[in-house]
Amino acid sequence: MPYVGIDLGGTQLRVAVADDRGRLRTVVRHPTEAARGRQHVIKRIVAAVAEALEADGTPAGRVHALGIGLPGPVDPAAGLVISPANLPGFRNVPLNRILTRATGIPSFLHHDAHLAALGEHRRGAARGASELIYVTVSTGIGAGILLRGELYAGAHGIAGEVGHIVVQRDGPLCTCGNRGCLEAIASGTGIARAARESAPRRPGSALHGLLEPHAEDVVRAARAGDELATAILENAGSYLGLAMGTLVNLFNPQLIVLGGSVIKAGHFLLGPMRRSMNDSSWKAARRGLRIVRPALGDDVGLIGAVEFARLQARHARKT
Ligand SMILES: [Zn+2]
């Protein structure tokens, strides 16, 4: 029997219909239109599910389960969307119940970073690993954790908020309200902020005079040999490594999958990250540790959501 997987981001909504073995068969994509509020977004999800099922030639009544991944914080056990920063109007929304009622398909939500970890574990770069962490560094920084091959979400679904480990006391202000979070320093947003703040004082730098420097501008300038850009990436990499070293000591993983757009900065970021990770973790905790790139590309969220639906359906059959 088929499954439905949904990847709901602040910008894009993707819906897939997958076969019994989890292979994606039909995918539809639409803008989320998050700014238009909760009711509008929920309507769009329900309409996109109907569209995908129709394109696939599958009646809703034949679908086993629906899995949906979305930005945290969410509470998977309670089926609640708590308050994602980029989905305005979603405050304590019982989305499992709403989607189950609207589609007639048993629906299960989870944090998107966790589902990406699950997707890589079941079908991507992390197959066969039982203790693994998937870290994604892009606009924000998040992680999904699998222990003994199973998702670890914590008591209320908040585990894995690596981006909000405080790595610098009194450091830059984070979107969460704290200061010195990893995300405020090493995410794409943090790198852009560092460039914006330091470039005006460095007339010799290629970043000087850029009105709104982006993380990609910093990477491009570093590749061209710009000292300021190189130093910004080195600083970001070094703090990223500090947080990764903490994860390594805490969880002693076999595998870290490191993804997200910022990782494309390559050795400018990854060299300092490695050094700092090694300085801040035990050698014994790193024994046999592999750090790899994700294998699933843009569909990772959809594949993770489908795999989650398959797991939930299996749990339901057992109980
Ligand atoms: Zn924070």
Side-chain angles (χ1 to χ4, degrees), residues 146-173:
L146 274 91
L147 303 176
R148 297 179 182 168
E150 295 200 9
L151 276 177
Y152 178 74
H156 302 292
I158 316 294
E161 291 294 353
V162 177
H164 302 282
I165 296 177
V166 175
V167 289
Q168 190 186 79
R169 254 186 182 287
D170 306 317
L173 188 64

Side-chain angles (χ1 to χ4, degrees), residues 204-207 216-230 233 265 267-268:
S205 167
L207 300 173
E216 300 88 72
D217 299 317
V218 180
V219 174
R220 203 173 309 122
R223 286 198 186 118
D226 191 81
E227 265 180 45
L228 174 62
T230 308
L233 293 178
H267 68 93
F268 293 104

Side-chain angles (χ1 to χ4, degrees), residues 238 240-253 256 273-287 289 291:
S238 156
L240 179 62
L242 182 61
M244 301 252 298
T246 306
L247 290 182
V248 166
N249 274 1
L250 266 180
F251 293 106
N252 183 206
I256 295 178
M273 182 212 80
R274 270 278 186 187
R275 282 194 293 278
S276 158
M277 187 186 90
N278 289 354
D279 288 345
S280 59
S281 61
W282 281 10
K283 196 173 178 187
R286 297 194 306 275
R287 193 158 58 90
L289 171 68
I291 300 182

Side-chain angles (χ1 to χ4, degrees), residues 163-164 174 176 178 181:
H164 302 282
C174 180
C176 76
N178 280 349
C181 292

Side-chain angles (χ1 to χ4, degrees), residues 63-155:
V63 179
H64 229 95
L66 176 159
I68 176 167
L70 65 168
V74 298
D75 187 338
L80 275 183
V81 182
I82 298 172
S83 57
N86 49 6
L87 293 173
F90 279 80
R91 289 277 176 285
N92 298 316
V93 176
L95 193 62
N96 280 3
R97 209 171 63 213
I98 293 171
L99 290 183
T100 302
R101 201 175 289 165
T103 62
I105 306 167
S107 301
F108 306 93
L109 67 83
H110 211 305
H111 191 300
D112 52 9
H114 290 259
L115 294 191
L118 180 68
E120 289 289 345
H121 179 245
R122 301 290 290 254
R123 305 179 67 88
R127 262 179 286 197
S130 60
E131 322 297 320
L132 74 106
I133 304 176
Y134 172 103
V135 179
T136 172
V137 187
S138 51
T139 314
I141 298 179
I145 300 163
L146 274 91
L147 303 176
R148 297 179 182 168
E150 295 200 9
L151 276 177
Y152 178 74

